[in-house]
Amino acid sequence: MKRIEYVKETFSLYVNNFWKITLLALTICLPFLLVHGFTSNVVYYYVSYTPAEIFGDYTNLFLSMVFFVLVQIPLIKFIQMELNGEENQLSSSYHIFFKYGFMAFLFAILYISLIVIGITLFVLPGIIVLILFYFTPYVMIYKKQNPFRSLGTAFRLAKKHFFKILLIILAMGLIDNLFSSILLLAISGVSSDYLSIFFGQLLLNLIFFPLLTIYTTCRFHDWFEELEEHVPVKKLH
């Protein structure tokens, strides 16, 4: 499937399941976004204009990446079931989130810590770690196992599609920054109120995060099936 076809499928899945995906976004994504926004702003309040101001940037980056790993979980499950033509997507999506959420949280802390440390020290190691284990939550959902047992499969997938994953991450980052900048300019032209900007960004994330996850899941879905077809079957002796 070509990239443009994945984009079309992403919007088709989003539009056809708009209310269900919106419900997942409001009940799963929104609480994490609010916690992230509140915590980051409290930290910025105390460290602004001090030598520790960079700590606010690290807190913002760390929390946003950890929470992004977590909020993907129910959306990945929902899209997987939709692609497979299965029913009861919503209940299964919530179930999988509560079943694997804590282990995914522990994985996310370790994973994002390694990324942040790698980027801080040498840049390239952090980017490599980001790509090599980016699909761990996806493998966790597809194989129904904890994230730490999913590292090997995620690593094999990343080795095979390293630059494609890099392009996905870069493209999504650029698109997110572009729309965030446009939104900021639009709101600033009407109001300079912080809450208007905050809730505008919140709304953008509630739309963008599901779209990003849907697109990535569609790509992963095909790559995972291709990988599984080439996994050697162990013979019983």
Side-chain angles (χ1 to χ4, degrees):
M1 190 183 292
K2 296 180 179 179
R3 291 188 184 91
I4 189 64
E5 292 174 340
Y6 282 113
V7 173
K8 290 178 180 178
E9 185 174 22
T10 296
F11 282 102
S12 176
L13 287 167
Y14 184 78
V15 171
N16 292 335
N17 299 280
F18 177 78
W19 294 112
K20 292 179 181 179
I21 291 172
T22 299
L23 180 61
L24 286 173
L26 290 175
T27 54
I28 303 294
C29 298
L30 181 59
F32 282 107
L33 288 171
L34 290 173
V35 171
H36 167 254
F38 175 79
T39 306
S40 297
N41 281 293
V42 168
V43 173
Y44 274 124
Y45 176 80
Y46 284 104
V47 302
S48 292
Y49 306 109
T50 72
E53 187 170 4
I54 193 173
F55 182 70
D57 296 327
Y58 275 103
T59 302
N60 181 41
L61 175 65
F62 184 81
L63 288 179
S64 63
M65 295 181 74
V66 168
F67 289 165
F68 180 66
V69 171
L70 294 176
V71 300
Q72 289 184 98
I73 295 172
L75 291 164
I76 295 168
K77 182 62 179 178
F78 184 92
I79 298 305
Q80 179 202 18
M81 295 184 71
E82 185 68 21
L83 291 172
N84 290 336
E86 300 175 44
E87 298 180 351
N88 302 316
Q89 298 104 322
L90 270 179
S91 58
S92 296
S93 297
Y94 284 113
H95 173 74
I96 208 77
F97 175 75
F98 289 110
K99 182 178 181 179
Y100 293 111
F102 180 69
M103 290 301 295
F105 177 66
L106 295 180
F107 160 74
I109 290 176
L110 176 61
Y111 174 53
I112 304 306
S113 296
L114 290 174
I115 292 172
V116 172
I117 292 170
I119 290 176
T120 302
L121 296 178
F122 304 107
V123 181
L124 191 58
I127 295 173
I128 292 173
V129 171
L130 169 65
I131 296 169
L132 289 180
F133 301 106
Y134 186 80
F135 277 136
T136 301
Y138 294 78
V139 177
M140 178 186 76
I141 302 302
Y142 273 67
K143 285 200 165 189
K144 299 179 181 178
Q145 60 189 23
N146 78 60
F148 296 100
R149 293 186 60 190
S150 305
L151 293 172
T153 303
F155 182 79
R156 289 198 301 274
L157 268 170
K159 281 202 305 180
K160 189 171 183 180
H161 302 284
F162 187 90
F163 290 105
K164 292 178 183 177
I165 298 170
L166 176 60
L167 285 174
I168 290 172
I169 294 171
L170 289 175
M172 294 304 175
L174 288 172
I175 293 170
D176 182 38
N177 286 329
L178 175 63
F179 279 97
S180 295
S181 299
I182 293 172
L183 178 69
L184 181 61
L185 287 172
I187 294 176
S188 299
V190 178
S191 171
S192 58
D193 180 52
Y194 170 76
L195 286 178
S196 299
I197 297 172
F198 175 76
F199 284 110
Q201 185 64 50
L202 201 67
L203 178 61
L204 179 64
N205 287 334
L206 288 174
I207 297 171
F208 184 76
F209 281 1
L211 285 171
L212 169 58
T213 305
I214 294 169
Y215 177 81
T216 310
T217 304
C218 289
R219 299 298 299 268
F220 170 83
H221 187 84
D222 289 346
W223 293 342
F224 181 77
E225 287 189 344
E226 179 186 327
L227 183 71
E228 289 294 286
E229 288 174 359
H230 293 88
V231 173
V233 179
K234 294 182 180 179
K235 296 181 179 180
L236 297 175
H237 298 285

